[in-house]
Amino acid sequence: MDRSRRFVDLHTHSWASDGSLAPGELVRQADQAGLAAVALTDHDTVAGIAEAQTAAAEFPELTLVPGIEISAIFPHGTLHILGLGIDPDSPVLAQALADFKDARDNRNPLILQKLAELGMTLSMDEVLAAARRYSNNQQPAGQIIGRVHIAQAMLARGFARSINEAFDKYIGSGKVAYVDKERLTPRQAIQTIHNAGGVAILAHPPQLKYENSAQLLRILQEFTQAGLDGIEAYHSDNSPEQTRLYVDLAHKLNMGTTGGSDFHGSGKPHVRLGQPRVSVSMIGQRFRRKLLGAE
Ligand code: AMP
Ligand code: ZN
Ligand code: FE
Ligand code: FE
C-alpha cells in the first residue's frame, strides 16, 4: 500500500453482479480517486476479480482486495456478510457460489411468474437482455442475474418508473412479487469465507432492521460466536450516530471495523466511489496487515 494515500473503499460492486462498471474500470476509477485500497465485493460471485487484478497491476499505488458479499438467512431484515481478502480460486468457495447461482436461477422465474399474475408479463430473455445492456454486452461468464436486472427489464417495459419503484412496489423484500431464495445460515456464510481465507464482516448493519442497540448487541454476540470478525461501521447508509454505535459495539465485542461505499455505479447514482471517506486508521488493526499490507 502506498503510504501517501490514506483512504480506502472496502465495499464495491462491478457488473459481475449488479454494478454498472467493468471490474477494470472500477479499479481505474478507484486509482483516479486517489484511494490506497479498493475491495471488489460482488454479490455471490468472484467472476470480476481476475479482470480487476489485471487492471490493478497497472496502478502500483492502489491495493486491490479480492472480496465477495454473501447473503445469509436472517428472519426480519437483510443480512449480508462481506468476505475480504478471500482467495478467489478457493474450491470450497467455488462450490458455494455454484449453489448460490442455482438458488437465484431457481428463484428468478418464480418472480417473473408473480409479476405475470399481476399483469406484468416479462420473459427471462428480456431480463437477460437488460443485464447485457447494463454491462455493455461485456459481462464476464458467471455474471449474477438478480433482482436488479429484473427491475431493469420492468423499467424497459414501463412497469416501473425507477429501479427503486420496482423494488418498493413489487420485488423488494415482502412485496407482492417477492420470492425469497435459498441462503446459507450466518455460520455457514462465515465459514465459507474463512475457508476461502477471508475475514468475515457484517455489511451495512442498518439493513438488519434491529429495534434498538440492546437487540443489535445480542445479534452481534451470536454472530461473534459464529465467527464474525468485524463490522462495517462506515458505509454510505450509516448515519454518524449509527457509525458511533457500531464502532463502540465492535470495541466491546473485540471485533474490528471496516468501511466502504457499496458503490454500484449508475444503478445507485447517489453512492459515490470512496464515499464516505474511510481512512486506513479506521480499519481494524488486525485487518490492516492482512488486507492492506499496512501496520
Ligand atoms: P438478489 O440478490 O437478486 O435478490 O438482489 C438483491 C440486490 O438488489 C441487493 O443486494 C441490492 O444490490 C439490490 N437492491 C435491493 N433493494 C434495492 C432497491 N430498493 N433499489 C435498488 N437496488 C436494490
Ligand atoms: Zn448489489
Ligand atoms: Fe449488501
Ligand atoms: Fe453491497
Side-chain angles (χ1 to χ4, degrees), residues 18 43 80 104 107 146-148 163-164 167 181 264 268:
D18 55 6
H43 299 282
H80 288 174
R104 266 203 192 70
R107 178 211 55 182
R147 278 184 286 160
V148 171
I163 303 266
N164 246 332
F167 273 89
K181 61 179 187 291
H264 279 73
K268 291 185 185 168

Side-chain angles (χ1 to χ4, degrees), residues 11-13 18 41-43 69 80 82 203-204 232 235 262-264 268:
H11 187 163
T12 72
H13 298 271
D18 55 6
T41 54
D42 274 309
H43 299 282
E69 182 173 16
H80 288 174
L82 293 171
H204 42 60
E232 191 175 42
H235 181 278
D262 209 351
F263 177 74
H264 279 73
K268 291 185 185 168

Side-chain angles (χ1 to χ4, degrees), residues 10-223:
L10 299 185
H11 187 163
T12 72
H13 298 271
S14 76
W15 69 33
S17 61
D18 55 6
S20 67
L21 293 186
E25 175 60 15
L26 180 95
V27 165
R28 196 191 64 76
Q29 291 195 13
D31 184 73
Q32 193 93 17
L35 294 178
V38 66
L40 179 62
T41 54
D42 274 309
H43 299 282
D44 297 347
T45 183
V46 290
I49 290 183
E51 181 187 320
Q53 281 170 329
T54 304
E58 312 223 342
F59 303 108
E61 292 166 300
L62 177 75
T63 299
L64 174 73
V65 178
I68 193 156
E69 182 173 16
I70 296 180
S71 315
I73 298 170
F74 191 70
H76 307 295
T78 297
L79 170 56
H80 288 174
I81 301 178
L82 293 171
L84 298 178
I86 51 158
D87 166 13
D89 299 321
S90 152
V92 192
L93 188 61
Q95 182 55 56
L97 300 186
D99 294 345
F100 297 154
K101 187 172 184 314
D102 289 347
R104 266 203 192 70
D105 290 349
N106 292 335
R107 178 211 55 182
N108 290 341
L110 299 177
I111 295 180
L112 296 189
Q113 201 177 319
K114 282 203 171 178
L115 287 172
E117 284 162 16
L118 293 163
M120 294 174 276
T121 302
L122 277 181
S123 69
M124 190 52 73
D125 279 344
E126 288 175 83
V127 175
L128 295 175
R132 277 197 301 275
R133 273 198 305 281
Y134 197 43
S135 51
N136 239 346
N137 283 316
Q138 293 173 63
Q139 75 278 45
Q143 183 197 29
I144 285 294
I145 303 293
R147 278 184 286 160
V148 171
H149 305 116
I150 295 177
Q152 280 158 351
M154 291 175 72
L155 239 65
R157 280 289 206 101
F159 296 151
R161 279 167 305 191
S162 68
I163 303 266
N164 246 332
E165 187 184 277
F167 273 89
D168 286 352
K169 275 188 152 161
Y170 305 112
I171 63 175
S173 173
K175 301 297 152 75
V176 278
Y178 178 68
V179 183
D180 206 357
K181 61 179 187 291
E182 245 179 79
R183 293 162 201 268
L184 298 182
T185 64
R187 182 178 293 273
Q188 287 170 325
I190 292 164
Q191 261 163 11
T192 302
I193 289 165
H194 285 168
N195 287 340
V199 294
I201 310 293
L202 170 66
H204 42 60
Q207 289 190 22
L208 293 174
K209 299 200 164 61
Y210 56 86
E211 275 165 17
N212 50 49
S213 54
Q215 190 194 27
L216 177 60
L217 175 62
R218 283 195 297 278
I219 296 168
L220 288 174
Q221 279 166 331
E222 256 173 61
F223 292 170

Side-chain angles (χ1 to χ4, degrees), residues 258-288:
T258 70
S261 62
D262 209 351
F263 177 74
H264 279 73
S266 61
K268 291 185 185 168
H270 56 287
V271 178
R272 310 251 312 271
L273 192 60
Q275 301 290 338
R277 297 297 254 174
V278 177
S279 71
V280 173
S281 61
M282 295 169 173
I283 303 300
Q285 205 168 7
R286 76 188 74 173
F287 306 145
R288 272 183 236 154

